[in-house]
Amino acid sequence: MDEAQQLIQAVAGCYEELPDLIGTDWQAFEGELTILMRLLESPDENTASVHRCIIELFKKHPKAYQRLAKELAAVMPERTRGQQRSLAESPAGSAKMDRYISVPVYFGTDRQPSAPADGRPTFSGLRAKNGKVSFGVAQVSIPDDHKMGKLEKPTFWKLQFRADPAKHVVLLDVEVFDEDAFAGRARKALAAAGRNEALVFVHGYNVDFDDALIRAAQVAYDLHFNGLTLAYSWPSEGDVKKYTIDEANIIWTRPHFKEFLRTTMTRLGVDTVHVIAHSMGNRALADIIPNLDPAQLPDGAARLREVIFTAPDIDAGTFHQLAAKFHGKAERFTLYASSNDKALLASKTVHKYARAGDAGKHLVVTQGLDTVDASQLDTSLMGHSYYGDNRSVVSDLLQLICHGRAPQERGLEKREKSGAPYWIFSA
């Protein structure tokens, strides 16, 4: 479904409610909307221009626009079972196979290489010697009947004992390159995709190398992101009992992650970079952003556009101090928090102080940061990865990353804390 069809479906979904939402201006609104909708369906028209005109028409009536945005959030990422995904809607370099799409994830890691698994390179939870970053490309299968927000895996009760790429999200292959070959491979994929954007994913605590790549592929695929998908995998032990080791490693990895981000912005041929960090991974991201000076990058370097902190396991006070130094480092900063995140509640117990991913009275709201409280969503059962699991959050991320929409344009409700705005998901 392209954007024109999505908009048509969204308008149809809320049309009966529009007279009450618009009021006395309804007759004039309906006349103008009817003309624009006919133009939107015309093959001879510039549909992108008509699309913008319809959105601007709705913006004149905030209640109607909020209702349209909510309908768009529901239809934009929707995929029905068995529907074929166009490669144009998939990450750069993706290949259509029999009953699944193979999604490439370009990675950097300062984990120590370990014995090959199933004949392919892999990396452990140990630190690489001298902090050396390895580069490579992994292939991850996304089945044709994949459901947004899910990581399909074999289930014993279905008598599925081995991963099947036609049914499950599977790490298929890993290749390791030097930095020059890595950059060349990325440039080639971008040239074919026609979208010079990159999405960098930074995983959190208790995540092994394979799972980091799988999650990066799933998130990029569900966002319909057709630029370059990258993952930075720092040496998490991948063991729930080794939290303190991961805490030490996320500090150790910071300079290596900064260099990987610099490589992404200067060597891969992209002009725009988005970054999503999750959980403990936010500690590395939040720490390097204040020291990332765009003026020191070479000519032609990419710009940071969307920087997104999801469920950050970082001291809320520390994050607030760092956020004061974010200005000018990227176009927009977004924080997703929830009061139902059990992992962060446990972290708060360990550290005494609130985490930046907490909501409620500890919600971090500050200038230059779009804070989104996801507590109204069912994140308690979704686990600590609700940014990738919950349909509403993925829908919001899609509008944010792929369309650059501000919170008020994504159907979110505005609230205030101490006079400063933040946003919640509509009930």
Side-chain angles (χ1 to χ4, degrees):
M1 185 187 299
D2 61 24
E3 282 199 357
Q5 292 172 317
Q6 291 163 357
L7 183 56
I8 291 169
Q9 186 172 332
V11 171
C14 64
Y15 191 80
E16 292 184 359
E17 302 173 41
L18 294 181
D20 290 336
L21 295 173
I22 292 171
T24 56
D25 292 335
W26 166 244
Q27 189 172 359
F29 178 94
E30 184 184 32
E32 190 171 350
L33 178 62
T34 300
I35 294 172
L36 290 171
M37 293 296 285
R38 288 173 180 169
L39 291 175
L40 191 64
E41 294 180 296
S42 172
D44 299 324
E45 286 293 330
N46 182 340
T47 55
S49 176
V50 178
H51 188 288
R52 287 193 295 270
C53 289
I54 293 174
I55 295 297
E56 290 303 319
L57 175 63
F58 270 85
K59 282 184 177 179
K60 296 175 183 177
H61 306 276
K63 290 183 179 179
Y65 179 67
Q66 186 178 51
R67 181 66 185 86
L68 176 70
K70 186 175 182 179
E71 199 69 29
L72 274 171
V75 303
M76 288 174 62
E78 184 66 47
R79 297 179 66 237
T80 57
R81 181 168 292 274
Q83 181 180 355
Q84 298 294 311
R85 168 75 70 87
S86 165
L87 289 180
E89 299 177 288
S90 303
S94 295
K96 183 69 183 78
M97 313 300 285
D98 183 26
R99 297 172 59 197
Y100 69 91
I101 286 180
S102 179
V103 174
V105 178
Y106 293 75
F107 67 84
T109 182
D110 55 359
R111 295 172 182 260
Q112 186 178 120
S114 61
D118 299 325
R120 57 172 173 77
T122 190
F123 295 83
S124 72
L126 300 176
R127 300 176 181 180
K129 294 180 180 179
N130 302 318
K132 177 178 172 57
V133 175
S134 298
F135 297 89
V137 181
Q139 299 293 332
V140 178
S141 67
I142 306 291
D144 286 347
D145 63 354
H146 166 71
K147 290 299 183 181
M148 186 186 71
K150 302 297 183 183
L151 283 176
E152 291 86 357
K153 296 181 179 180
T155 52
F156 293 139
W157 65 270
K158 290 183 178 181
L159 301 182
Q160 297 173 342
F161 302 107
R162 298 186 62 182
D164 179 354
K167 299 177 181 178
H168 310 126
V169 181
V170 183
L171 181 60
L172 301 171
D173 190 30
V174 176
E175 297 177 271
V176 177
F177 305 105
D178 62 30
E179 186 174 338
D180 290 339
F182 171 80
R185 181 85 169 258
R187 284 177 173 272
K188 184 176 179 180
L190 279 171
R195 179 172 180 171
N196 290 343
E197 295 189 21
L199 176 64
V200 179
F201 172 71
V202 187
H203 65 81
Y205 149 69
N206 187 27
V207 176
D208 65 22
F209 176 73
D210 289 8
D211 286 344
L213 303 181
I214 286 171
R215 178 62 85 176
Q218 174 253 315
V219 169
Y221 183 87
D222 284 352
L223 294 180
H224 290 230
F225 184 76
N226 59 356
L228 199 69
T229 301
L230 298 105
Y232 180 78
S233 187
W234 52 278
S236 166
E237 291 274 340
D239 187 334
V240 70
K241 299 184 296 295
K242 297 183 177 180
Y243 183 88
T244 56
I245 297 175
D246 278 12
E247 283 196 306
N249 285 344
I250 197 64
I251 295 173
W252 174 84
T253 200
R254 290 182 305 198
H256 316 145
F257 172 52
K258 184 178 180 180
E259 284 306 308
F260 177 77
L261 188 58
R262 181 183 174 87
T263 296
T264 300
M265 297 175 69
T266 60
R267 300 207 57 194
L268 306 190
V270 297
D271 53 33
T272 303
V273 174
H274 316 282
V275 186
I276 299 178
H278 177 240
S279 181
M280 196 179 285
N282 285 278
R283 300 190 196 184
L285 178 60
D287 186 77
I288 71 166
I289 289 295
N291 300 312
L292 188 68
D293 186 358
Q296 293 183 354
L297 296 174
D299 291 341
R303 62 193 174 113
L304 274 180
R305 198 178 89 188
E306 307 294 347
V307 174
I308 302 164
F309 307 96
T310 64
D313 182 7
I314 177 174
D315 181 272
T318 299
F319 184 82
H320 201 285
Q321 293 170 357
L322 291 170
K325 303 175 184 177
F326 289 168
H327 179 71
K329 309 299 183 179
E331 288 191 18
R332 178 164 37 215
F333 296 91
T334 302
L335 165 68
Y336 288 92
S338 173
S339 57
N340 301 318
D341 193 321
K342 292 183 178 179
L344 291 183
L345 292 174
S347 178
K348 179 184 175 182
T349 300
V350 171
H351 295 96
K352 182 179 178 180
Y353 295 102
R355 319 315 289 162
D358 292 340
K361 67 179 182 179
H362 300 297
L363 185 70
V364 175
V365 178
T366 188
Q367 186 176 6
L369 180 72
D370 290 339
T371 297
V372 180
D373 183 349
S375 299
Q376 285 190 291
L377 304 179
D378 184 15
T379 58
S380 59
L381 298 178
M382 293 294 182
H384 191 39
S385 297
Y386 62 82
Y387 70 97
D389 292 339
N390 192 286
R391 290 176 59 90
S392 295
V393 176
V394 177
S395 298
D396 196 60
L397 283 169
L398 188 152
Q399 295 185 66
L400 173 61
I401 293 175
C402 294
H403 302 286
R405 292 176 179 144
Q408 62 269 28
E409 300 173 320
R410 306 199 304 265
L412 300 176
E413 294 183 13
K414 185 179 179 181
R415 299 290 174 87
E416 288 191 358
K417 179 180 179 181
S418 301
Y422 71 95
W423 308 87
I424 66 168
F425 286 90
S426 301

